[in-house]
């Protein structure tokens, strides 16, 4: 159980393109999903917390107009990197936590490796 | 003081060795604790939850010390495949989970 699917796993595109990443909890409902970014050999960095039916909460320094988050249902959150530039190239990972309680563990998607040329 | 701290390592051990990592947390209101494993260029995967009474899963043992505010992970009979970064995660109810920066383990032949 507790499977989180993230799609696509790899994206290579030109500078200026907008890229949409989907995160789905396949066998549980997730009121809260988290979006992380990780640069090579660095720690996971939380970008935003996505709550179903409400606006996402962004961490300091993360531009909400640049990284659009939509949590449309209890099983789906999307992150759109708008007008991506080479410095946005990174490993983006989502995670979901069951709605049953805040003390449940997170389960991560496989991650999306984004490369902007 | 960081909310969750881990020794980044790397811990370099031979196959078959026993190795232990600690993770300290600063918020005494923390309620649940987890160890994750992250392989290079992959997503973190849940290794085990940490229960108050301590718990074991095969070669892995997790302990919680609330008085001193730390959790530990013990790996017995290390395998080459145990090489990874081990992340501790601390939850405080519905608050955002807090990750440690991870401890790197290298198991060599």
């Amino acid at each position: 159980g507790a499977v989180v699917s993230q799609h696509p796993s790899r994206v290579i595109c030109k500078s200026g393109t907008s890229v949409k990443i989907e995160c789905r909890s396949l066998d549980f409902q997730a009121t809260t999903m988290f979006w992380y970014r990780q640069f090579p050999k660095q720690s996971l960095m939380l970008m935003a917390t996505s709550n179903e039916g409400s606006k996402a909460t962004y961490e300091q320094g993360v531009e909400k107009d640049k990284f659009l988050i939509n949590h449309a249902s209890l099983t789906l959150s999307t992150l759109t990197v708008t007008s991506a530039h080479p410095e946005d190239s990174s490993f983006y990972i989502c995670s979901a936590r069951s709605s049953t309680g805040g003390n449940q563990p997170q389960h991560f998607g496989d991650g999306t490796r984004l490369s902007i040329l | 003081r960081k909310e969750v701290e881990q020794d980044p390592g790397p811990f370099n051990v031979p196959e078959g060795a026993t190795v232990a990592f600690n993770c300290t947390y600063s918020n005494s209101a923390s309620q649940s604790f987890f160890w994750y494993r992250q392989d290079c260029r992959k997503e973190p995967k849940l290794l085990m939850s940490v229960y108050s009474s301590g718990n074991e899963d095969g070669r892995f043992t997790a302990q919680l010390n609330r008085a001193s505010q730390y959790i530990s992970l013990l790996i017995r009979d290390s395998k080459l495949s145990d090489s990874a970064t081990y992340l501790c995660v601390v939850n405080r109810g519905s608050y955002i989970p807090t990750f440690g920066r991870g401890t790197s383990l290298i198991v060599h032949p």
Side-chain angles (χ1 to χ4, degrees):
Chain A
V3 177
V4 176
S5 171
Q6 188 172 339
H7 179 81
S9 58
R10 184 93 165 101
V11 180
I12 303 173
C13 57
K14 293 179 181 178
S15 187
T17 308
S18 291
V19 178
K20 187 175 185 179
I21 304 169
E22 290 189 351
C23 181
R24 292 179 186 272
S25 55
L26 297 186
D27 52 359
F28 66 100
Q29 293 188 328
T31 307
T32 305
M33 291 185 175
F34 304 94
W35 287 96
Y36 295 86
R37 182 166 54 181
Q38 188 173 36
F39 293 105
K41 299 189 178 182
Q42 292 192 22
S43 307
L44 282 172
M45 187 189 82
L46 179 67
M47 298 175 67
T49 303
S50 168
N51 298 296
E52 187 265 339
S54 65
K55 289 184 180 179
T57 303
Y58 290 82
E59 294 300 298
Q60 195 172 9
V62 178
E63 298 174 57
K64 62 180 180 181
D65 295 329
K66 171 80 172 174
F67 300 99
L68 301 178
I69 292 172
N70 187 332
H71 195 147
S73 75
L74 284 172
T75 58
L76 173 64
S77 176
T78 60
L79 167 68
T80 301
V81 184
T82 61
S83 187
H85 293 287
E87 59 267 26
D88 298 322
S89 299
S90 187
F91 188 43
Y92 291 85
I93 317 173
C94 73
S95 72
R97 187 165 65 186
S98 170
S99 300
T100 57
N103 286 322
Q104 297 296 313
Q106 300 171 75
H107 298 278
F108 286 83
D110 292 343
T112 297
R113 204 160 296 281
L114 177 62
S115 299
I116 307 297
L117 306 177
Chain B
R1 182 185 173 186
K2 289 183 183 170
E3 200 165 334
V4 177
E5 291 200 66
Q6 291 183 255
D7 181 344
F11 285 65
N12 208 317
V13 303
E15 268 186 292
T18 295
V19 62
F21 313 131
N22 278 351
C23 169
T24 59
Y25 60 95
S26 60
N27 195 319
S28 60
S30 299
Q31 296 173 323
S32 58
F33 309 88
F34 308 95
W35 283 103
Y36 284 77
R37 169 199 170 122
Q38 186 175 24
D39 292 284
C40 187
R41 296 172 67 83
K42 297 280 192 178
E43 80 282 11
K45 289 189 188 296
L46 180 64
L47 181 64
M48 57 198 303
S49 302
V50 186
Y51 301 121
S52 297
S53 54
N55 48 298
E56 192 173 302
D57 183 1
R59 298 181 293 108
F60 299 84
T61 301
Q63 299 271 355
L64 167 63
N65 185 318
R66 285 195 185 272
S68 301
Q69 295 185 196
Y70 73 86
I71 64 172
S72 63
L73 177 68
L74 180 80
I75 305 175
R76 289 182 298 279
D77 188 22
S78 300
K79 312 289 185 194
L80 296 176
S81 57
D82 293 333
S83 299
T85 297
Y86 291 83
L87 303 165
C88 80
V89 178
V90 176
N91 274 7
R92 188 162 49 96
S94 59
Y95 289 95
I96 297 169
T98 305
F99 278 76
R101 293 178 65 85
T103 297
S104 176
L105 172 66
I106 301 170
V107 182
H108 58 81

